[in-house]
Amino acid sequence: MNIPIIYKRFFFFCGLLFALLPGIHAQNKVEQDASGKPMVLYFRFDKAVVDKEYMDNARTLRHLDEVLSDRNLTGRIDSINILSFASPDGNRKYNERLAWQRSTTVKGYLVWKYPHLDQYRIHPRPQGENWQEFRRLIAGDENIPNRNEVLQIIDRNPDSDRCKALLRKLDGGRPYRYIQERILRYLRNASVCTVWIRQDSLPGLPEPVAPNAECLNKPCELPHPQAKDVQEQAVRNGHTIKDVQATEKRPLFALKTNLLFDAALMPNVEIEIPFGTRWSLNAEYMFPWWLFEGDEYALQILMGGLEGRYWLGSKENRMNREVLTGHFLGLYAGGGKYDLQWKENGYQGEFFIAAGISYGWATRIAHNLHLELNIGIGVLRTDYRHYHARDNYQTLLWQENGQYTWFGPTKAKISLVWLLNRKVKTGKGGGR
């Protein structure tokens, strides 16, 4: 039987449509899972590790994978903000550092797991202790012993340390033990908030696992009071919160001084410029030019040098670390001239050179302030002139010329580092 050509085409297109339907359905399901609502990852006590086995993290990671593995969807991402929290338990300063570690850990996980993501569109936003959510959960749990007294302590004591101390003492610690067992684990989390370029085409995600978690249903709303202040300030300045979150600070360069030289009355200055997360270039200049006790003593040195540095650690570690912190190896070279005199004896050198390899370590000690330790081993070579001072140190009698070579430690530093940052826009408003 001969089938007309028009029917053949009809059957062909029907077959093609049925073949494509599963793929279209799968794509629609992923888009239904992709939302501006936060996807919440929970952390164990005192930990900053993404643990798939903890609480509902497996489901959250599965949704993240469905969204972020699709390059078509990730191409529509404007930014990803990671709002991280610690429970109001223990030392406040430590909890702030822990919240920061949780933000950078989640960013490191996303960069490692999905290398096609633009890392500069992923912004850690540590929020510290989540007192607002802490109070909301307590108010919603009628089984907490002395609940009214607990709420009164929270409302009447803005000092978090005093509030924690009073909560531990209340009724012999019975309410606080209940809070530790039932409440605090929901406050150790990081919310992955995705801002989409075309949000209207993306329906909602399933709710995150948390008791009465309707507060997390708003797209990337900042739940911490301090973050809310930032949002209100941005509105007063004529910006939206998206404008604020599309900007991050990166070190432009760092200014330094070697405290060992400063203690020896040898003024010095250094500047270090980072290149990415692995490399930096350090330049130094030392310029003591002193005469003491009527020219009886001289300390006159003009010296400059350059050092290239390679910062150590795995790719994930460098992504999680603040720039210009951690361990590094370096190659350095420098030179200058000097006049060193101790009473009648002195040495002058019109030029000396030092070069070698170095090892160092740097850490953050305050906002925009680092401490750096550095030691170098190499070779120092100089041509010198030896002299004796006469006529009340006004006349120099040349004794001999010579050369001197030294192999061993040629550098030792304990440096105070001040970072100068620049704001970089990473959102739609402008390129990087």
Side-chain angles (χ1 to χ4, degrees):
M1 180 178 62
N2 294 327
I3 300 176
I5 189 68
I6 188 171
Y7 291 111
K8 292 182 179 179
R9 291 179 178 176
F10 173 76
F11 291 138
F12 171 77
F13 283 114
C14 285
L16 181 62
L17 179 61
F18 282 114
L20 291 177
L21 276 177
I24 294 172
H25 175 74
Q27 176 68 19
N28 288 338
K29 182 181 184 302
V30 173
E31 291 196 359
Q32 288 174 358
D33 286 343
S35 170
K37 297 177 183 179
M39 290 176 273
V40 182
L41 289 168
Y42 294 95
F43 294 90
R44 297 184 187 273
F45 174 73
D46 198 26
K47 299 296 182 182
V49 177
V50 177
D51 188 345
K52 181 179 179 180
E53 307 301 325
Y54 187 59
M55 293 181 66
D56 200 46
N57 286 349
R59 185 173 70 114
T60 300
L61 293 174
R62 184 173 66 253
H63 285 302
L64 278 171
D65 192 62
E66 290 173 350
V67 174
L68 300 182
S69 294
D70 190 326
R71 291 179 178 268
N72 292 328
L73 283 179
T74 55
R76 294 158 56 185
I77 291 177
D78 178 85
S79 58
I80 297 175
N81 302 301
I82 304 169
L83 280 64
S84 60
F85 302 89
S87 60
D89 186 25
N91 182 268
R92 180 176 61 85
K93 290 291 185 182
Y94 180 82
N95 287 337
E96 290 175 355
R97 291 195 299 270
L98 187 59
W100 179 82
Q101 291 171 1
R102 286 169 175 169
S103 275
T104 54
T105 294
V106 175
K107 176 178 179 178
Y109 173 84
L110 296 179
V111 171
W112 165 76
K113 182 76 173 178
Y114 311 103
H116 55 277
L117 283 178
D118 183 353
Q119 62 173 302
Y120 296 111
R121 293 183 182 271
I122 305 175
H123 311 299
R125 309 287 183 191
Q127 305 296 313
E129 297 177 340
N130 195 351
W131 281 93
Q132 179 175 319
E133 181 68 3
F134 181 48
R135 190 197 185 284
R136 192 191 68 79
L137 293 178
I138 290 175
D141 190 340
E142 298 180 354
N143 297 320
I144 296 179
N146 308 93
R147 183 180 61 161
N148 291 334
E149 289 84 349
V150 171
L151 292 175
Q152 288 177 7
I153 290 175
I154 295 174
D155 294 339
R156 296 177 181 178
N157 292 276
D159 186 304
S160 62
D161 292 332
R162 175 172 171 76
C163 184
K164 294 173 190 177
L166 292 175
L167 289 176
R168 292 189 184 98
K169 293 179 181 178
L170 179 63
D171 194 13
R174 192 164 64 97
Y176 195 75
R177 286 192 294 271
Y178 181 96
I179 291 171
Q180 282 183 313
E181 295 173 0
R182 307 290 182 88
I183 300 293
L184 294 185
R185 66 176 179 270
Y186 294 105
L187 303 175
R188 305 171 187 131
N189 62 65
S191 299
V192 181
C193 302
T194 305
V195 178
W196 297 90
I197 295 175
R198 297 194 298 273
Q199 297 178 6
D200 55 346
S201 63
L202 299 169
L205 266 177
E207 302 296 333
V209 170
N212 302 321
E214 65 272 6
C215 68
L216 295 176
N217 292 341
K218 299 179 181 179
C220 292
E221 184 180 29
L222 303 180
H224 193 267
Q226 294 178 353
K228 185 176 180 182
D229 295 340
V230 173
Q231 181 175 4
E232 293 173 352
Q233 181 65 36
V235 173
R236 287 197 295 270
N237 293 338
H239 301 287
T240 65
I241 190 64
K242 186 174 179 180
D243 295 329
V244 175
Q245 292 180 342
T247 302
E248 66 176 12
K249 291 183 178 181
R250 297 183 200 158
L252 181 61
F253 61 89
L255 290 176
K256 306 191 235 180
T257 184
N258 185 350
L259 300 179
L260 297 179
F261 287 167
D262 293 334
L265 302 179
M266 301 167 66
N268 64 98
V269 65
E270 299 178 49
I271 183 171
E272 185 171 9
I273 303 174
F275 299 96
T277 59
R278 286 281 188 191
W279 298 93
S280 64
L281 181 64
N282 189 78
E284 60 180 329
Y285 183 59
M286 184 171 59
F287 47 95
W289 204 257
W290 311 121
L291 290 173
F292 304 100
E293 302 292 336
D295 298 344
E296 184 175 355
Y297 305 96
L299 177 60
Q300 298 180 335
I301 304 174
L302 293 178
M303 173 188 173
L306 292 174
E307 180 179 16
R309 295 179 173 179
Y310 177 80
W311 294 82
L312 304 175
S314 65
K315 180 179 179 181
E316 181 179 357
N317 177 272
R318 293 311 313 172
M319 289 296 183
N320 292 340
R321 272 193 172 277
E322 186 177 0
V323 176
L324 301 182
T325 61
H327 300 266
F328 65 86
L329 295 175
L331 290 175
Y332 65 90
K337 64 179 183 178
Y338 59 90
D339 186 355
L340 305 175
Q341 177 185 328
W342 185 270
K343 295 186 177 180
E344 289 81 11
N345 287 306
Y347 293 87
Q348 286 186 359
E350 290 301 321
F351 181 74
F352 72 91
I353 186 171
I357 60 174
S358 66
Y359 167 79
W361 172 79
T363 186
R364 179 181 179 181
I365 57 175
H367 183 63
N368 288 348
L369 197 63
H370 291 181
L371 180 67
E372 178 186 300
L373 309 179
N374 188 9
I375 187 171
I377 297 177
V379 61
L380 182 148
R381 182 175 176 80
T382 180
D383 295 328
Y384 68 87
R385 294 188 295 177
H386 179 208
Y387 64 84
H388 285 167
R390 295 287 187 269
D391 301 329
N392 199 25
Y393 308 103
Q394 299 304 306
T395 302
L396 304 181
L397 299 178
W398 303 112
Q399 302 299 308
E400 61 176 333
N401 295 339
Q403 293 181 339
Y404 180 76
T405 301
W406 159 264
F407 181 80
T410 58
K411 175 186 293 192
K413 294 182 180 181
I414 301 178
S415 299
L416 202 59
V417 184
W418 180 41
L419 270 68
L420 281 83
N421 297 320
R422 60 190 174 103
K423 291 185 177 179
V424 179
K425 290 186 177 180
T426 60
K428 293 187 296 183
R432 286 186 303 223

